């Protein structure tokens, strides 16, 4: 069945620094109309980065929407004309100070397909060497190295509450660990 | 270190059907200012639902932001004064037509903590009995029953591109399967 929704009208509400908001009036498969509120967000990357001692690099970052600090894997937006893999290497270096000699593709997924265009490409980084952190002017991030087995236990105990981190780490653990 | 960002000013940009947009001017830990674009979205639920034949219930749904149809686990918003567990049972019934005698909590996570407040509570449903699908007027959803082992293989081949489905199914598979 084709459930494509035809756009009848688009209202552009907001064009900001990291996102845009538009409201589409759509024709539904039953020929009725509805509104779709859509956040346009650039694609992003996230990185499961493991040291030679089998520790995962996590970043602790205050998140204004939640008014709390979360522990997440390194991540960030892909810049214009940048390849996802290059963005992953750049974000890993900027946020953690580590350079990865090996950067492998894991998977990709939409974070909130119901209302947002954002897609995240997940990578797996190894052969890390310490260089220097280089944060954006409005980023305040602390790096934690956590034994990989511990991060799995912490996910199991629901102590990691960032969706992309759960998806990417468990993807790596299920399909690429010990392969 | 306390990296809390103090709100100096809030501009309310949009108040819609499923989301709100506000822009906060914040004072950073270094006493400089920045803007945070924040999507306010109600909490949601998603359900890993397994039939007695060890098939997972998936829903195929056109997603306007991506202009494509995705295969996802059943999910939806929590209504006012509704418990997450009740929302999970209601959404499962509405979207798939199945009633669950057993609904267990799995985990919870933020879908996009960088710019959105949305939290998803994930559940695991068993002892399913078929009743009747009851979709919202603007929902067009097809239900697929897929052997659980196959869904794991499809996630591994990157054929499932919905983040919450990857996170919740792999969480169940890693921590609750065969326990």
């Amino acid at each position: 069945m084709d459930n494509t929704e035809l756009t009848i009208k688009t209202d552009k509400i907001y064009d900001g620094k990291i996102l845009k908001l538009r409201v589409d009036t759509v024709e539904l498969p039953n020929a009725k109309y509805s509104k779709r509120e859509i956040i346009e967000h650039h694609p992003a990357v996230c990185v499961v980065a493991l040291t030679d001692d089998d520790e995962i690099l996590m970043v602790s970052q205050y998140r204004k929407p939640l008014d709390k600090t979360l522990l997440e894997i390194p991540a960030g937006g892909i810049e214009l004309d940048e390849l996802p893999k290059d963005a992953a290497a750049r974000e890993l270096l900027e946020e953690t100070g580590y350079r990865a000699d090996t950067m492998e593709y894991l998977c990709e997924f939409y974070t909130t397909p119901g209302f947002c265009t954002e897609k995240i490409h997940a990578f797996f980084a190894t052969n890390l060497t310490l260089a220097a952190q280089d944060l954006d002017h409005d980023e305040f991030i602390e790096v934690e190295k956590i034994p990989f087995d511990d991060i799995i236990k912490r996910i199991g105990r629901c102590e990691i509450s960032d969706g992309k981190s759960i998806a990417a780490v468990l993807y790596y653990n299920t399909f690429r660990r010990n392969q």
Side-chain angles (χ1 to χ4, degrees), chain A:
Chain A
M1 203 194 307
D2 179 11
N3 286 329
T4 301
E5 297 172 359
L6 202 69
T7 305
I8 304 300
K9 186 164 75 87
T10 291
D11 289 314
K12 296 186 174 184
I13 308 287
Y14 179 78
D15 184 351
K17 195 170 59 169
I18 65 157
L19 58 83
K20 295 180 189 184
L21 169 61
R22 70 173 207 263
V23 178
D24 285 358
T25 303
V26 299
E27 185 178 335
L28 301 171
N30 61 2
K32 294 190 176 171
Y33 295 124
S34 189
K35 302 263 189 195
R36 299 296 183 203
E37 296 159 356
I38 296 170
I39 303 298
E40 299 177 12
H41 193 285
H42 286 294
V45 291
C46 65
V47 187
V48 177
L50 287 184
T51 68
D52 293 347
D53 296 328
D54 203 31
E55 295 163 315
I56 186 169
L57 298 183
M58 301 291 291
V59 293
S60 171
Q61 185 172 17
Y62 174 79
R63 294 302 205 171
K64 186 65 187 168
L66 319 174
D67 189 26
K68 64 167 91 163
T69 297
L70 288 197
L71 197 62
E72 309 171 29
I73 59 174
I78 300 174
E79 293 179 355
L80 204 67
D81 296 328
E82 191 179 35
L83 292 172
K85 192 175 183 176
D86 295 338
R90 179 183 51 72
E91 285 290 346
L92 179 66
L93 177 61
E94 287 177 5
E95 292 198 346
T96 70
Y98 278 88
R99 232 180 267 282
D101 265 7
T102 308
M103 183 70 74
E104 292 176 62
Y105 172 81
L106 280 178
C107 61
E108 59 198 67
F109 50 86
Y110 298 100
T111 47
T112 47
F115 63 91
C116 179
T117 61
E118 189 190 43
K119 184 184 225 180
I120 289 194
H121 305 252
F123 290 87
F124 163 46
T126 48
N127 295 314
L128 308 180
T129 49
L130 190 56
Q133 208 183 24
D134 175 25
L135 297 173
D136 288 342
H137 77 285
D138 61 352
E139 276 185 323
F140 298 85
I141 286 176
E142 285 157 74
V143 182
E144 290 187 33
K145 288 194 279 189
I146 297 175
F148 187 78
D149 290 347
D150 285 358
I151 203 74
I152 295 295
K153 284 180 199 152
R154 287 173 76 164
I155 291 173
R157 292 195 301 260
C158 303
E159 293 171 10
I160 305 297
S161 55
D162 169 49
K164 69 175 175 301
S165 300
I166 297 171
V169 170
L170 292 185
Y171 184 97
Y172 163 74
N173 187 55
T174 306
F175 302 110
R176 305 294 288 276
R177 184 95 172 154
N178 306 322
Q179 300 294 304

